Amino acid sequence: MNTSESSVITDHLRAFIGVESVPVIYEIERHAVERFACAIGDPNPLYTDEIATRASSFGGLIAPPTFLRSLLPGHYPEPYPEPFAHILDGGSSYRFMKPVRVGDRIAVTRKIVDLYEKHGRMGTMLFKISEQKYVNQLGQLVATQTTTTITYGDGEKDSGVGDH
Amino acid sequence: MATIKSEPDDAVETGTELPTLWFEDVDVGNELPELIKMPDTRQLVMYAGASQDFVAIHYDLNVAKAAGHPTVIIHGALKSAWLAELVSGWIGSTGRLLELDVSYRAIDFPGTPVTCLGKVTGTRIENGVGLVELEIGLRNVDNVITTPGRALVSLPTRTVIS
């Protein structure tokens, strides 16, 4: 297979590997956590029942594990040159070190750790592996999320392409 | 040495029972109680708002059809949220979810039920902590696992392990 001839991974694109996004700090609001738990349909009292959580080993309200997903990372210092129009989410790997509590302030950063391409039914597809880091107000790394984002195809860009 | 109170004073007001799952009560091969979800387009819109994911293929029928789908598609991250719900509900308030890996192999659509499944594939003690390895997945109405994954949790132990 000849990949050198028409690679979409230009030197410019490859230079984004390892570059950290501008940090964004989120306050973990009780109502946002409730709204997320309601949207996914998770009745776990740890996210909404303050009395129950105070008596639990957590000692207070926490966010659902994948609530981190709603804390969107910021942009890279330079605009990321997305070559394709359409986007697919390939998956996520989370590592949870500490619970995320209501009232926490969580700083989010993202960096691309790998880029590779595959050729298939939908033409050339670009696979972007990114690592999100979530750090609380005490400077503790509370979680990481490694995502696989697949982009492909020409035409008008989907809304949201470039956010992920 | 100071004594730390294990419960706040108003613990008696506890409204919801949070059961404890003990490490000693878990064996390889145990299956988690199935979690069945019946997603509709309303839930996708709710999730889009709650998660700030505004990729149009999840709510705009024209965009979904242009991409070759019969209707809008379920957010992969929503499927991860359900698998996290499956595991978190099982371990209760004393277990901890440590790792969650989910892979979106096939697309799922609103309008048909999906079933979240989990099975214990390993148990071990590491540094005095009870760890349980799980195989998890989301199964569609055609009996296909569209979204396989794994999780690692820690559970409290009844006995002190040295």
Side-chain angles (χ1 to χ4, degrees):
Chain A
M1 191 172 69
N2 185 351
T3 53
S4 61
E5 193 177 301
S6 60
S7 176
V8 296
I9 306 170
T10 59
D11 289 346
H12 181 212
L13 198 58
R14 192 174 296 283
F16 277 78
I17 294 175
V19 176
E20 197 151 270
S21 67
V22 176
V24 181
I25 297 173
Y26 291 91
E27 181 139 2
I28 307 305
E29 297 165 338
R30 179 179 182 153
H31 183 60
V33 168
E34 281 179 3
R35 191 162 46 201
F36 188 90
C38 178
I40 65 178
D42 188 339
N44 195 319
L46 294 171
Y47 315 138
T48 53
D49 185 338
E50 186 158 31
I51 301 294
T53 55
R54 286 179 68 185
S56 79
S57 66
F58 291 103
L61 291 169
I62 60 165
T66 70
F67 177 80
L68 294 168
R69 187 75 189 181
S70 70
L71 311 181
L72 299 185
H75 296 288
Y76 293 110
E78 302 288 327
Y80 174 76
E82 174 56 57
F84 291 122
H86 305 300
I87 187 167
L88 283 174
D89 190 350
S92 280
S93 289
Y94 290 93
R95 297 293 177 268
F96 303 102
M97 292 65 136
K98 302 255 179 208
V100 174
R101 301 170 178 286
V102 166
D104 276 354
R105 288 189 313 280
I106 302 290
V108 184
T109 54
R110 168 165 60 187
K111 68 178 179 188
I112 297 169
V113 294
D114 196 15
L115 289 167
Y116 58 94
E117 60 194 316
K118 285 184 178 177
H119 306 274
R121 186 171 54 83
M122 295 186 292
T124 301
M125 295 187 295
L126 176 64
F127 286 69
K128 179 173 64 179
I129 314 299
S130 309
E131 186 185 70
Q132 279 75 212
K133 283 187 178 179
Y134 307 92
V135 176
N136 69 12
Q137 67 277 12
L138 304 174
Q140 298 165 325
L141 180 66
V142 294
T144 62
Q145 181 194 180
T146 303
T147 51
T148 302
T149 307
I150 304 153
T151 53
Y152 64 97
D154 299 327
E156 198 182 329
K157 277 191 165 52
D158 294 348
S159 62
V161 173
D163 292 346
H164 292 274
Chain B
M1 192 189 285
T3 308
I4 297 167
K5 288 187 74 171
S6 61
E7 291 182 348
D9 291 336
D10 58 1
V12 289
E13 292 175 38
T14 298
T16 315
E17 187 73 19
L18 294 165
T20 295
L21 179 67
W22 299 98
F23 177 74
E24 287 86 349
D25 295 336
V26 171
D27 291 309
V28 171
N30 286 171
E31 291 184 0
L32 279 61
E34 290 185 358
L35 176 68
I36 298 171
K37 292 284 179 176
M38 186 53 118
D40 55 15
T41 50
R42 180 173 182 270
Q43 183 169 27
L44 301 197
V45 171
M46 286 171 72
Y47 183 74
S51 72
Q52 301 288 294
D53 183 338
F54 298 111
V55 174
I57 203 164
H58 304 299
Y59 57 83
D60 187 326
L61 188 58
N62 291 331
V63 169
K65 285 190 167 170
H69 303 300
T71 184
V72 295
I73 71 174
I74 297 177
H75 302 78
L78 178 53
K79 300 194 283 183
S80 283
W82 292 332
L83 291 169
E85 176 185 343
L86 171 83
V87 176
S88 300
W90 183 65
I91 64 179
S93 62
T94 46
R96 293 290 183 272
L97 175 60
L98 303 175
E99 300 182 4
L100 178 72
D101 298 342
V102 182
S103 179
Y104 313 130
R105 296 271 171 80
I107 287 167
D108 287 285
F109 302 100
T112 55
V114 292
T115 305
C116 302
L117 307 160
K119 191 167 73 177
V120 176
T121 56
T123 62
R124 63 183 190 273
I125 302 277
E126 232 171 66
N127 303 318
V129 178
L131 298 176
V132 177
E133 184 80 35
L134 301 167
E135 181 185 294
I136 54 176
L138 189 137
R139 188 180 66 200
N140 68 14
V141 281
D142 298 320
N143 231 18
V144 173
I145 301 289
T146 62
T147 312
R150 62 166 285 279
L152 180 71
V153 302
S154 66
L155 294 176
T157 53
R158 282 205 180 87
T159 50
V160 176
I161 298 157
S162 54

